[in-house]
Amino acid sequence: GDSVTQMEGPVTLSEEAFLTINCTYTATGYPSLFWYVQYPGEGLQLLLKATKADDKGSNKGFEATYRKETTSFHLEKGSVQVSDSAVYFCALSDPGGGGGATNKLIFGTGTLLAVQP
Amino acid sequence: ETGVTQSPTHLIKTRGQQVTLRCSSQSGHNTVSWYQQALGQGPQFIFQYYREEENGRGNFPPRFSGLQFPNYSSELNVNALELDDSALYLCASSRTGVDEKLFFGSGTQLSVL
């Protein structure tokens, strides 16, 4: 079945460092790919998305490119801030994956990012 | 535009009891999905409701059931609670037929003792 694998954390960086969080996926169809962020005590918020191969999603300085050839959707940011400290989830939505539900998301296990001043 | 609200925020139950969690959808949204997030894990899809009917279900036993009401609010019911049911339960609303974007609530933290 469909699945998402992302790098384990925690990832600890100093402020202004470069961030990469790796994400790879397995899907039967042509999924849309997402990054969600979860701040402490809050629900998930959509950070960015890409719906087809070679699309680049971007938001708040974060970017990720949908790479079909490597089945990857790595999250990057050029200069992290303390306020970026959160758990980041990679996810896919596969309309061809069956089950009947629309917008059903399959999540990775999450990566905790801790940014130190 | 109001967001997705869930109640209660925290709940403690004992094994074998039953629990009902509630969710109010974002205004204008017609679809509600429920997810279970165990500690240190990503959310897992439980089921989805559209037009008051179940519209897809994940790998959860029948003791997990739900309802969607005409105002698009929703309930998640869990019978015969087990220790492994301890988790954060997230509700997400969306607009089927419009876009894929899910709006998540802050969740209900359920502890089963």
Side-chain angles (χ1 to χ4, degrees), chain A residues 38-44, chain B residues 3-11 21-24 33-37 43 76 87-92 103-110:
Chain A
Q38 188 174 35
Y39 298 102
E42 298 184 14
L44 297 164
Chain B
V4 178
T5 57
Q6 294 186 241
S7 62
T9 55
H10 295 83
L11 201 52
L21 311 181
R22 295 180 174 82
C23 172
S24 293
S33 303
W34 286 91
Y35 288 80
Q36 180 196 66
Q37 186 179 6
L76 165 64
L88 179 68
Y89 288 85
L90 295 167
C91 168
F103 291 80
F104 283 85
S106 300
T108 294
Q109 184 65 55
L110 172 65

Side-chain angles (χ1 to χ4, degrees), chain A residues 6-14 19-22 35-41 62 75 80-90 108-116, chain B residues 37 39-42:
Chain A
Q6 59 182 106
M7 64 187 288
E8 292 189 14
V11 173
T12 302
L13 296 173
S14 298
L19 168 70
T20 299
I21 301 178
N22 290 337
W35 277 100
Y36 278 82
V37 59
Q38 188 174 35
Y39 298 102
F62 291 90
L75 181 68
V80 294
Q81 305 300 312
V82 171
S83 58
D84 294 327
S85 298
V87 180
Y88 292 81
F89 292 93
C90 184
T109 54
T111 302
L112 173 63
L113 170 65
V115 180
Q116 298 175 338
Chain B
Q37 186 179 6
L39 188 63
Q41 300 297 313

Side-chain angles (χ1 to χ4, degrees), chain B residues 1 8 13-14 21 23-25 31 48-49 53 55 58 68 80 83 85 88 113:
Chain B
E1 189 174 70
K13 292 285 188 179
T14 56
L21 311 181
C23 172
S24 293
S25 301
T31 301
Q48 181 183 87
Y49 278 81
E53 297 278 339
N55 182 43
Q68 185 185 30
L83 297 180
D85 296 333
L88 179 68
L113 305 178

Side-chain angles (χ1 to χ4, degrees), chain A residues 32 34 36 38 41-46 49 51 87 89 93 95 99-110, chain B residues 31 33 35 37 40-45 48 55-58 88 90 94-96 99-102 104-107:
Chain A
S32 296
F34 306 82
Y36 278 82
Q38 188 174 35
E42 298 184 14
L44 297 164
Q45 299 175 26
L46 177 64
K49 73 174 187 180
T51 57
V87 180
F89 292 93
S93 173
T102 59
N103 310 343
K104 169 187 169 183
L105 291 174
I106 296 171
F107 288 88
T109 54
Chain B
T31 301
S33 303
Y35 288 80
Q37 186 179 6
Q41 300 297 313
Q44 291 200 347
F45 177 75
Q48 181 183 87
N55 182 43
R57 188 178 185 94
L88 179 68
L90 295 167
S94 58
R95 297 180 296 177
T96 294
D99 58 38
E100 293 184 47
K101 189 170 182 180
L102 292 177
F104 283 85
S106 300

